[in-house]
């Protein structure tokens, strides 16, 4: 790491072994797929390490929301959820160009994951981070192969209902649609 360059670190404690194992498997699969795809809007995982105490991985630091440096107590990583909340508080809303700028790269990234036979399974506004002003799909802890018997995981409101999946719907497509709904209306999908 170059001096002065900040990175984000995610830590998964070893005490939660099933979560650690699931996240490690997702990380390995994500690294293999993302290296082949090289899509600009998939958060790059720069380093992974497992110790006796747990698992950690390093990725680029997201932009700041309400502060420019993580040293500031008001700093929060900029996510689509944070942007939606800020617009709601300021009683302003996104232009159609801003919505396209935020959603189109993510739809392309999701399509590339799908073409590789992978599903994210947790597409939602808080898992879309802004890095250098651009949207990135993040939090790959539930990532897995796209199979018929895939378990239903994710965040309520953004998880495809079983009837949707049984009719041939794609879980990431549902999550993207629910995210777009939030972005358009400022409301929760449920």
């Amino acid at each position: 790491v170059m001096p002065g360059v900040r990175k984000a670190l995610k830590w998964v404690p070893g005490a939660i072994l099933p979560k650690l194992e699931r996240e490690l498997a997702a990380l390995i699969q994500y690294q293999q797929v993302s290296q082949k795809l090289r899509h600009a809007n998939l958060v790059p995982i720069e380093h992974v390490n497992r110790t006796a105490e747990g698992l950690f991985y390093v990725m680029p630091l997201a932009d700041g929301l309400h502060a420019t440096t993580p040293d500031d107590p008001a700093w929060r990583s900029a996510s689509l959820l944070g942007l939606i909340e800020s617009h709601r508080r300021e009683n302003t809303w996104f232009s159609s160009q801003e919505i396209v700028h935020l959603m189109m790269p993510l739809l392309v990234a999701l399509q590339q994951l799908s073409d590789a036979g992978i599903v994210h399974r947790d597409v939602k506004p808080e898992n879309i981070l802004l890095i250098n002003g651009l949207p990135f799909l993040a939090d790959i802890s539930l990532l897995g192969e796209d199979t018929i018997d895939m378990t239903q995981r994710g965040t309520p409101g953004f998880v495809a209902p079983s009837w949707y999946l049984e009719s041939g719907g794609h879980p990431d497509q549902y999550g993207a649609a629910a995210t777009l709904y939030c972005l358009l209306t400022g409301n929760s999908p449920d």
Side-chain angles (χ1 to χ4, degrees):
V1 176
M2 294 177 12
V5 175
R6 295 178 185 251
K7 300 289 181 176
L9 179 117
K10 181 169 182 181
W11 171 254
V12 181
I16 312 171
L17 194 58
K19 180 178 178 172
L20 183 143
E21 294 296 337
R22 183 178 65 237
E23 190 135 355
L24 181 59
L27 277 167
I28 291 167
Q29 191 170 31
Y30 179 77
Q31 282 188 306
Q32 292 169 347
V33 169
S34 63
Q35 286 174 357
K36 292 176 190 170
L37 299 177
R38 296 274 185 224
H39 190 275
N41 297 90
L42 295 172
V43 169
I45 304 299
E46 299 172 4
H47 180 75
V48 178
N49 195 5
R50 182 176 181 181
T51 67
E53 291 81 27
L55 168 72
F56 69 88
Y57 53 100
V58 179
M59 62 199 111
L61 183 66
D63 298 344
L65 193 62
H66 308 303
T68 56
T69 174
D71 297 329
D72 186 329
W75 188 90
R76 216 173 92 199
S77 61
S79 68
L80 185 55
L81 178 62
L83 288 179
I84 290 170
E85 290 171 348
S86 290
H87 278 272
R88 193 180 301 128
R89 275 192 307 275
E90 295 165 7
N91 205 24
T92 62
W93 211 247
F94 301 92
S95 70
S96 57
Q97 292 83 9
E98 289 172 315
I99 291 170
V100 169
H101 170 77
L102 291 166
M103 287 300 296
M104 190 57 72
L106 298 165
L107 296 174
V108 171
L110 287 169
Q111 183 63 56
Q112 288 189 350
L113 285 176
S114 180
D115 290 347
I118 303 296
V119 289
H120 184 277
R121 292 198 282 195
D122 204 17
V123 179
K124 61 184 178 181
E126 70 186 272
N127 285 343
I128 299 167
L129 300 179
L130 293 168
I131 301 173
N132 298 321
L134 299 172
F136 281 77
L137 185 59
D139 193 355
I140 49 88
S141 61
L142 298 180
L143 182 121
E145 288 186 38
D146 187 6
T147 61
I148 291 174
D149 60 346
M150 175 183 54
T151 59
Q152 216 175 349
R153 292 185 182 151
T155 302
F158 297 92
V159 175
S162 58
W163 62 263
Y164 177 83
L165 295 175
E166 289 165 4
S167 67
H170 193 282
D172 288 349
Q173 186 179 47
Y174 189 91
T179 297
L180 178 60
Y181 175 81
C182 293
L183 186 57
L184 289 170
T185 67
N187 297 317
S188 170
D190 58 349

